[in-house]
Amino acid sequence: MVMKRALLIALTSLVALAGCHSFKKENVQPPTPLDKSFKPTVQVTRLWRSSVGAGAGESGIRLRPAYADGVLYAASTDGKLAAFDAQSGKTLWTKSDRTHGWFGWGDKKRADVFYAGGPMVSGDLLVVGTLDGHVYGLGAKDGSPRWQAKVSSEVVASPVIVGNLVVARTTDGRLYGLDSSTGERRWAYDQSAVPLLSLRGNGPLLAANGVVFFGSDNGKLVAVRMDNGEKLWEQTLASGEGRTEIDRLNDADGGILLDGSTLYGAAYHGNLIAVDGPSGRPLWTRPFSTFTSLDTLGNALYGVNESSQVWAFDKNGGADIWKNDSLKYRWLTGPAIQGNYLVVGDMEGYVHWLQSGDGALAAREKLSKKPIRAQPLVVGDTVYVEDEKGRIGAYRLSAH
């Protein structure tokens, strides 16, 4: 399993560059140039900008900050944790575990704590996973260590915290239910079948009504009981069919959406599907290939396909509402809803706003020159965007 995942790190970066179609350089599509004559229709104000460590670096994962009680938390793969005042960007505390091993536990010769999954915060507990298979519980007020748990593989998706349980996902297809006070393992769920070749990353977990929902590396939407880790049901998002290993990639690497009692999910080389949450019964399905998360507003469902075309669908049946091609091949993040707009980041460090009603571009700002991989985080009237080097920008909109 370790050898397999090491292979995936190298291969999937090439897959992303090639639009997941070919490894041949001549088939790599160049990003659509930005319109130099573009005039915004909504005003964007950058509230602040800061950074945390080296961010995700070359790991290929999608590090995203977390928000709780007026504080924004962020982590980096070079062992940095930071908490910021969400309104002003003022640094409240930072913690570096670069030279002290795992919080002083175990082998002190370790150079780094490779934070990768999270952070996630609930109450006074902050939880974060690592690239070498640990989950840590810390104090949210100062980053002080509380507990550690060893798991079977990398944790590159944010854990969830529900009551006295932390649920963490590993890249080898397992879920772990951990005691939120001690880190003690309560249960483990094993997916049992993980494809030999897979896109780099895992989608975030969704916890609701005593159930954990997630998209798997073999194209399934899976529901697992939170109290004991037993699988309730699964639905197919992608079949994994094709002539080559690349064609057969079918990861569901985006987050699962819950709207009322309906779940929405999508997969690479697969479909967008609506499922009745309690029963797992499919309501409708339509072809749609993506490796990013979705978002919803009103009666519309929004997503970015494998070519970075932005789509809007009727969430009651999946019919097309609109499609925007102007950011094609700019390798966009999944969309996030901010007011009446969609926010996406791209491979050149730009942040774009699109009107939710018709998909027209409404505003553009540049955070940095580095790729933005994680779906932006919207809290109230503010959106937080993080690039792969750990730079974080906070933006607010106001109409002209």
Side-chain angles (χ1 to χ4, degrees):
M1 186 64 68
V2 173
M3 291 179 65
K4 170 192 151 186
R5 286 294 164 180
L7 177 65
L8 299 190
I9 293 172
L11 288 181
T12 55
S13 61
L14 295 175
V15 173
L17 287 174
C20 298
H21 294 297
S22 170
F23 292 115
K24 296 180 181 180
K25 184 177 180 181
E26 59 265 27
N27 288 342
V28 176
Q29 297 290 345
T32 301
L34 298 178
D35 182 2
K36 294 182 180 179
S37 63
F38 168 73
K39 294 183 179 179
T41 57
V42 66
Q43 182 178 343
V44 176
T45 300
R46 191 176 74 190
L47 303 179
W48 54 266
R49 189 170 75 167
S50 191
S51 64
V52 55
E58 303 300 321
S59 68
I61 62 174
R62 294 172 285 186
L63 276 173
R64 187 187 193 208
Y67 173 91
D69 300 323
V71 180
L72 196 75
Y73 300 87
S76 68
T77 55
D78 61 340
K80 305 296 193 300
L81 287 170
F84 307 94
D85 183 282
Q87 291 295 319
S88 67
K90 178 183 177 182
T91 301
L92 302 177
W93 58 260
T94 60
K95 181 177 178 61
S96 174
D97 291 290
R98 183 172 178 80
T99 59
H100 300 292
W102 306 106
F103 302 118
W105 297 317
D107 182 3
K108 293 181 181 290
K109 294 182 180 180
R110 289 188 179 272
D112 296 288
V113 175
F114 302 101
Y115 295 125
M120 178 57 67
V121 180
S122 179
D124 63 350
L125 176 65
L126 183 155
V127 176
V128 61
T130 73
L131 289 177
D132 83 334
H134 285 79
V135 180
Y136 291 110
L138 308 96
K141 292 184 178 180
D142 56 8
S144 56
R146 293 188 177 178
W147 51 261
Q148 64 168 330
K150 184 73 174 73
V151 291
S152 57
S153 185
E154 296 175 313
V155 181
V156 300
S158 180
V160 293
I161 307 171
V162 181
N164 58 1
L165 191 71
V166 172
V167 182
R169 178 182 184 179
T170 54
T171 57
D172 60 357
R174 293 180 171 89
L175 264 63
Y176 292 89
L178 308 172
D179 187 288
S180 63
S181 298
T182 65
E184 181 181 357
R185 184 183 303 179
R186 292 188 176 180
W187 54 258
Y189 165 81
D190 189 350
Q191 180 179 315
S192 73
V194 178
L196 178 64
L197 186 64
S198 174
L199 296 177
R200 177 67 165 149
N202 286 148
L205 301 171
L206 168 67
N209 304 316
V211 181
V212 177
F213 304 95
F214 66 97
S216 71
D217 287 334
N218 60 351
K220 308 292 185 182
L221 193 169
V222 184
V224 173
R225 287 182 51 165
M226 201 177 305
D227 59 347
N228 60 13
E230 293 183 0
K231 183 169 71 175
L232 294 172
W233 54 258
E234 67 177 38
Q235 277 294 337
T236 299
L237 298 172
S239 64
E241 298 177 351
R243 296 180 60 187
T244 70
E245 289 291 337
I246 301 301
D247 292 335
R248 289 191 289 272
L249 287 170
N250 63 342
D251 301 60
D253 275 354
I256 304 301
L257 280 181
L258 176 63
D259 186 52
S261 62
T262 302
L263 296 162
Y264 299 95
Y268 184 60
H269 289 161
N271 298 297
L272 172 62
I273 186 171
V275 175
D276 176 69
S279 67
R281 176 176 58 89
L283 303 175
W284 57 259
T285 184
R286 59 152 297 147
F288 186 66
S289 177
T290 184
F291 43 81
T292 63
S293 295
L294 310 167
D295 209 346
T296 184
L297 176 66
N299 291 320
L301 189 66
Y302 301 95
V304 172
N305 72 5
E306 61 180 16
S307 301
S308 286
Q309 296 164 305
V310 186
W311 287 75
F313 307 101
D314 182 343
K315 73 179 183 182
N316 295 313
D320 301 354
I321 299 175
W322 55 255
K323 179 179 71 170
N324 186 311
D325 296 321
S326 60
L327 302 174
K328 194 174 182 180
Y329 303 127
R330 297 193 66 83
W331 310 123
L332 303 178
T333 68
I337 301 298
Q338 184 182 18
N340 292 318
Y341 298 87
L342 283 71
V343 190
V344 293
D346 75 14
M347 64 178 294
E348 295 180 337
Y350 285 96
V351 186
H352 307 270
W353 285 260
L354 295 79
Q355 295 178 172
S356 61
D358 59 8
L361 287 172
R364 181 171 72 217
E365 289 287 319
K366 188 157 190 174
L367 171 63
S368 69
K369 295 182 179 180
K370 296 298 181 179
I372 301 168
R373 302 188 188 278
Q375 183 183 30
L377 173 67
V378 176
V379 180
D381 61 357
T382 304
V383 61
Y384 303 94
V385 185
E386 180 175 349
D387 74 7
E388 71 173 14
K389 291 298 183 183
R391 300 180 187 90
I392 302 171
Y395 302 91
R396 186 174 293 161
L397 299 180
S398 59
H400 281 308

